[in-house]
Amino acid sequence: MSAIKDVAICIGSIRYSESSQIVTLFSKEHGIIKAIAKGARRPKGKFGGGIDLLTAARIIFSVPNSDATLALLHEYITCEPFGLLRNNLISLNCGQFAGDMLSKFMECYDPHELLYDGFYQTLGKLQLPNNNSLLSIVEFQLFLYQEVGLSPVFTHCSVCGTILPEQDSNGLPRLYFSSHNGGMLCRVCEAASEEKRMVSAKMLALLKQQQLLGQGDARSLFEVFELLSYHQREQTGKQSAISTFLNELFRGHLNY
């Protein structure tokens, strides 16, 4: 097996034995890589006692042969530890949530350099002391959906194309979002859809003008996060533990 060089961020790790780890890496040129790091847990081994989650590194690995399912990781030289993430529980879990999203929507050995760069930049923002973690993770959700072709439609009905009504003095009429239909529904199409979720006027206003997300109040931004997380659950058929935990953290922080 020939050795391959790349850069990657560790988005998953499980203990394989007393001395080894199985890691999930999101690499720039090869996408998701599931690899075994033999001897990684040895304190004086070449991996320095273990590979930490949400660290970026220069890697050398060999792709699996026809009889193996895991790549073999030869080197993992950390170049950006994102150490300040560990100082903030919400920021750390936002990073883990972003990595979990990547693992669910990306295939092994399917490269996506823009997503790698976006993930790297998101982790960098999340570790800043005064960063708005909720805004950063919402922006990453929207970016990922755009890059994988699952970006929802918010300006018109995703079924019939009818332009959604603007807010008037009485507020928006009741409107719904359907993940299976790819976005918002008008009142006519909503009646025929079993899978749907109500959307508030403030939330829809933010989603229709996403450049203004940073100006939204925290509760409306949290509603956007919940809606985009709902979209993920509907598309993957499963809610991850990190998604549930992060939702609870945000609710506690916002006193919901």
Side-chain angles (χ1 to χ4, degrees):
M1 295 186 293
S2 59
I4 302 170
K5 295 182 179 181
D6 204 344
V7 290
I9 299 171
C10 180
I11 59 173
S13 174
I14 60 173
R15 179 174 174 175
Y16 179 69
S17 67
E18 289 297 323
S19 61
S20 300
Q21 284 177 275
I22 292 176
V23 292
T24 301
L25 309 174
F26 184 54
S27 70
K28 185 162 188 173
E29 298 180 4
H30 297 84
I32 296 288
I33 301 169
K34 295 183 183 295
I36 184 168
K38 295 182 178 179
R41 293 168 52 79
R42 293 175 185 152
K44 296 183 179 180
K46 60 182 178 180
F47 294 103
I51 295 171
D52 292 327
L53 200 62
L54 301 181
T55 55
R58 297 187 296 274
I59 65 170
I60 298 178
F61 70 100
S62 299
V63 297
N65 57 36
S66 57
D67 298 324
T69 58
L70 297 173
L72 179 61
L73 189 63
H74 302 290
E75 287 188 8
Y76 189 90
I77 302 174
T78 301
C79 53
E80 175 52 76
F82 295 110
L84 295 179
L85 278 176
R86 281 75 181 166
N87 296 339
N88 186 297
L89 184 62
I90 291 180
S91 294
L92 177 61
N93 280 274
C94 280
Q96 292 177 351
F97 175 77
D100 182 69
M101 287 189 72
L102 289 167
S103 69
K104 285 179 167 53
F105 287 105
M106 300 298 295
E107 300 289 337
C108 289
Y109 303 107
D110 180 18
H112 201 310
E113 293 191 12
L114 284 178
L115 262 179
Y116 177 87
D117 291 340
F119 182 43
Y120 189 100
Q121 292 165 11
T122 296
L123 293 179
K125 288 190 294 184
L126 284 170
Q127 71 172 348
L128 297 176
N130 298 319
N131 178 66
N132 184 337
S133 298
L134 181 53
L135 175 61
S136 294
I137 198 60
V138 164
E139 290 176 335
F140 181 77
Q141 287 175 297
L142 290 166
F143 177 64
L144 184 145
Y145 290 142
Q146 176 184 328
E147 293 301 312
V148 300
L150 290 172
S151 185
V153 173
F154 296 112
T155 57
H156 56 271
C157 177
S158 58
V159 176
C160 70
T162 298
I163 301 298
L164 299 177
E166 296 296 332
Q167 186 172 7
D168 55 30
S169 58
N170 296 318
L172 278 169
R174 187 176 67 246
L175 290 173
Y176 288 87
F177 172 89
S178 170
S179 177
H180 296 176
N181 286 297
M184 298 301 299
L185 300 174
C186 68
R187 294 299 301 275
V188 174
C189 295
E190 171 264 312
S193 178
E194 293 185 5
E195 179 272 312
K196 56 193 173 185
R197 180 182 176 120
M198 190 181 293
V199 174
S200 72
K202 280 189 176 181
M203 182 183 4
L204 184 57
L206 286 176
L207 288 168
K208 290 172 72 175
Q209 300 186 70
Q210 294 174 16
Q211 71 276 14
L212 302 179
L213 279 169
Q215 300 176 26
D217 63 88
R219 293 205 167 208
S220 295
L221 200 57
F222 177 65
E223 289 180 0
V224 172
F225 169 75
E226 285 197 307
L227 182 73
L228 297 176
S229 300
Y230 167 79
H231 186 42
Q232 174 182 333
R233 293 194 300 272
E234 290 299 314
Q235 291 296 317
T236 62
K238 183 179 180 181
Q239 177 163 325
S240 62
I242 186 64
S243 176
T244 301
F245 185 59
L246 184 57
N247 187 288
E248 292 173 354
L249 283 178
F250 280 137
R251 282 183 173 275
H253 184 70
L254 298 173
N255 296 316
Y256 246 72

